[in-house]
Amino acid sequence: MFEFQQYLGFLAFLTIFTIGFWLMLFLVNFVFYWLGGATVELIKEKKAERKLKGKE
């Protein structure tokens, strides 16, 4: 079985791994949110530009 120091090392590893995992998920979701918003804004700008050209 585990000795106490091995148990503490295992808990430290799990803690660091879990924090890194959730941080990675947060950052990936943030990047996708940013790219999605930029794409929507680009589409809106192109649509408004097309609408403006049609009126002239």
Side-chain angles (χ1 to χ4, degrees), residues 37-51:
T39 305
V40 168
E41 287 297 316
L42 185 65
I43 290 171
K44 284 182 183 178
E45 287 177 15
K46 288 190 184 265
K47 199 179 281 187
E49 186 178 315
R50 224 180 309 136
K51 197 174 194 181

Side-chain angles (χ1 to χ4, degrees), residues 2-36:
F2 283 133
E3 290 182 20
F4 188 67
Q5 285 183 338
Q6 288 177 323
Y7 179 70
L8 286 180
F10 180 69
L11 285 180
F13 167 76
L14 279 182
T15 303
I16 293 168
F17 181 78
T18 305
I19 289 170
F21 175 75
W22 288 113
L23 180 64
M24 181 189 68
L25 280 182
F26 173 75
L27 291 176
V28 166
N29 284 328
F30 180 74
V31 168
F32 282 136
Y33 178 74
W34 183 30
L35 289 175

